[in-house]
Amino acid sequence: MAILLTAHQLRHAFGARALFEGLNFSLETGERVALIGPNGAGKSTLLKILAREVNPDQGTLSFSRGLRVGFLKQVPQFSLGATIRDTLLEGSPEAEQGSSDSHLLAHEWISRLELDQFGPEHPIEKLSGGWKKRVALGRELMKKPELLLLDEPTNHLDIETIDALADALNSFEGGMILVSHDFRLINQVAKEIWVCENQTIT
C-alpha cells in the first residue's frame, strides 16, 4: 500500500501548553483510524494540521504527490442561499471545468446519502443539522479524496443518521482519520484506534 502522509517530530502548543510533541506516524492507503482521547488533547488541532489549515510549531509533514484531502469539520459552513446540488458541486474539481460528469456524480451522492427525498434544489438552510452533515460529507467526497479527515461527524445526529453516515464511509476506499467519541460509528468504520493524550499518540 502507498504511504499517503508521514509526520516527523510534530509539535504544537496552545499558548504555553504543548498539545503534543515528538509525534511520528504515517498513514497508508486504506488505513482507517479512529483518533480518540480527552477533550483538549489536540485531536482537532492535529486534523487541521493534516488538512494543511494550520502549520505545526515544529516538525515536518510529507504528503504523497498531489494528495487530495477531504476534511469534514465539526461545524460545516455553507454558502448563503446554496442548494444541495450547489453545495456538492463546490467540492468537484470537474464542476469548475463545466464537465457534465460532476452533475452525474452529484446526483449519485444525493441518492447514496438519501438526500433525494428533498431534491437537488432544496435549500441547505432548511435542512436539519443531521442532513446538513450528510451534505457536507457529500461535498468532501465529491473531491474524490485519497485521504478523508472527519472531526466529530456524529455530533447532534440520531442513530439512523449515524448508520447512514457509516454506510457512506464504508464505501470510501481511501485513507481515513476519524476524531470521535461515538463508539457506534467507530465500531462500524475504523480498523485501528490511536489514543491522543499526554502530549503523544499511541
Side-chain angles (χ1 to χ4, degrees):
M1 289 191 291
I3 294 178
L4 299 176
L5 65 88
T6 301
H8 178 68
Q9 292 294 303
L10 286 192
R11 182 187 190 278
H12 198 78
F14 183 73
R17 181 174 70 90
L19 294 175
F20 44 79
E21 51 189 333
L23 290 189
N24 297 293
F25 61 85
S26 62
L27 190 80
E28 297 181 341
T29 303
E31 271 195 278
R32 308 173 70 83
V33 173
L35 183 61
I36 66 171
N39 291 334
K43 303 183 301 297
S44 293
T45 299
L46 181 58
L47 281 197
K48 290 176 182 176
I49 290 173
L50 298 180
R52 293 175 273 200
E53 292 192 353
V54 172
N55 292 321
D57 293 338
Q58 295 177 14
T60 58
L61 268 175
S62 301
F63 297 92
S64 63
R65 185 184 297 273
L67 180 69
R68 297 187 302 275
V69 179
F71 183 22
L72 181 62
K73 300 179 181 181
Q74 281 195 44
V75 183
Q77 300 297 311
F78 302 97
S79 300
L80 187 64
T83 66
I84 290 174
R85 179 164 51 201
D86 292 339
T87 303
L88 292 180
L89 290 174
E90 286 177 15
S92 170
E94 291 88 356
E96 297 179 3
Q97 303 164 10
S99 170
S100 59
D101 291 346
S102 61
H103 288 266
L104 292 173
L105 185 59
H107 282 276
E108 179 183 333
W109 279 114
I110 286 171
S111 176
R112 291 172 70 174
L113 294 169
E114 301 178 359
L115 293 161
D116 40 5
Q117 61 186 285
F118 301 104
E121 301 303 323
H122 191 85
I124 295 293
E125 61 193 28
K126 293 186 178 181
L127 294 173
S128 68
W131 288 108
K132 286 179 180 177
K133 191 64 70 78
R134 290 198 202 193
V135 175
L137 174 62
R139 177 171 59 187
E140 298 309 307
L141 292 171
M142 283 285 291
K143 297 176 182 177
K144 300 179 182 177
E146 298 156 284
L147 171 62
L148 187 60
L149 308 171
L150 305 105
D151 193 2
E152 297 289 1
T154 61
N155 281 359
H156 313 301
L157 302 189
D158 58 28
I159 289 176
E160 180 181 347
T161 306
I162 292 171
D163 289 344
L165 177 65
D167 288 342
L169 293 178
N170 282 328
S171 70
F172 173 68
E173 297 179 354
M176 183 180 74
I177 299 180
L178 161 72
V179 168
S180 182
H181 293 92
D182 189 327
F183 276 88
R184 181 183 183 86
L185 180 66
I186 289 172
N187 286 335
Q188 291 183 77
V189 304
K191 294 181 179 177
E192 54 188 296
I193 292 177
W194 296 0
V195 181
C196 181
E197 62 182 352
N198 302 323
Q199 302 179 349
T200 190
I201 288 178
T202 54

